[in-house]
Amino acid sequence: MTVGIAYVLVEELLRERLPRRWAHTQGVAACARKLAPLVDDRAKALEAAAVLHDIGYAPPLVNTGFRPLDGARHLRTIGSVDDRVARLVANHSFALLEAEQRGLREALEAEFPVVDDEQLADALVYCDMTTTPDGAPDNCR
């Protein structure tokens, strides 16, 4: 899946239903583009994961109520999403801790093991955590 297709997919699911979440998603993706020089050839994967990271909030995709897992499961069904991107979505922003609280950690770890590229995973967390709910950069530089 190209980054452009990721934008189209997420926009279709979030823009009208959850406009604030859509704004946040765009801000996270903008931060990812700023970090592109730091991740070199992994920049497209970072931006795709940034665009897709909150797709699990889309009402049609809610199954478990745990957005990282619901989103990654949906991405897996599409088939054109790189496994690394789906795993980044599933494990972004301390998802393992929340999965533990929800009794979903075993399912998350079994279906979507943590990506073994700490820099890429950390870059996604940084982008997510430094973007406000309204999509403004809080600290992304």
Side-chain angles (χ1 to χ4, degrees), residues 81-128:
V81 177
D82 180 86
D83 179 65
R84 175 175 55 173
V85 170
R87 288 169 51 202
L88 284 165
V89 168
N91 289 287
H92 79 278
S93 301
F94 315 104
L96 282 175
L97 296 173
E98 187 176 346
E100 178 79 31
Q101 295 297 312
R102 292 173 177 256
L104 293 168
R105 185 176 178 131
E106 286 183 27
L108 182 64
E109 288 180 315
E111 292 181 49
F112 301 99
V114 173
V115 173
D116 60 355
D117 185 337
E118 287 184 37
Q119 185 184 35
L120 196 59
D122 288 349
L124 180 58
V125 171
Y126 175 81
C127 291
D128 190 20

Side-chain angles (χ1 to χ4, degrees), residues 1 54 62 65 67 70 96 98 113 141:
M1 170 178 288
D54 277 349
V62 174
R67 63 180 170 73
D70 290 343
L96 282 175
E98 187 176 346
R141 295 181 177 137

Side-chain angles (χ1 to χ4, degrees), residues 3-141:
V3 172
I5 293 171
Y7 275 100
V8 171
L9 174 64
V10 174
E11 181 177 14
E12 180 179 302
L13 288 166
L14 297 181
R15 184 174 49 92
E16 289 189 22
R17 291 178 180 105
L18 301 168
R20 192 171 187 213
R21 183 61 43 195
W22 171 234
H24 169 74
T25 296
Q26 292 176 83
V28 174
C31 183
R33 285 191 301 277
K34 290 179 184 177
L35 297 185
L38 300 175
V39 295
D40 299 319
D41 62 333
R42 300 162 296 162
K44 293 296 181 193
L46 175 60
E47 186 174 356
V51 171
L52 296 166
H53 83 284
D54 277 349
I55 194 170
Y57 275 111
L61 306 185
V62 174
N63 183 24
T64 67
F66 181 47
R67 63 180 170 73
L69 186 57
D70 290 343
R73 283 178 172 169
H74 176 71
L75 295 175
R76 184 175 55 204
T77 67
I78 294 173
S80 61
V81 177
D82 180 86
D83 179 65
R84 175 175 55 173
V85 170
R87 288 169 51 202
L88 284 165
V89 168
N91 289 287
H92 79 278
S93 301
F94 315 104
L96 282 175
L97 296 173
E98 187 176 346
E100 178 79 31
Q101 295 297 312
R102 292 173 177 256
L104 293 168
R105 185 176 178 131
E106 286 183 27
L108 182 64
E109 288 180 315
E111 292 181 49
F112 301 99
V114 173
V115 173
D116 60 355
D117 185 337
E118 287 184 37
Q119 185 184 35
L120 196 59
D122 288 349
L124 180 58
V125 171
Y126 175 81
C127 291
D128 190 20
M129 295 292 111
T130 61
T131 302
T132 69
D134 295 315
D138 191 23
N139 195 27
C140 187
R141 295 181 177 137

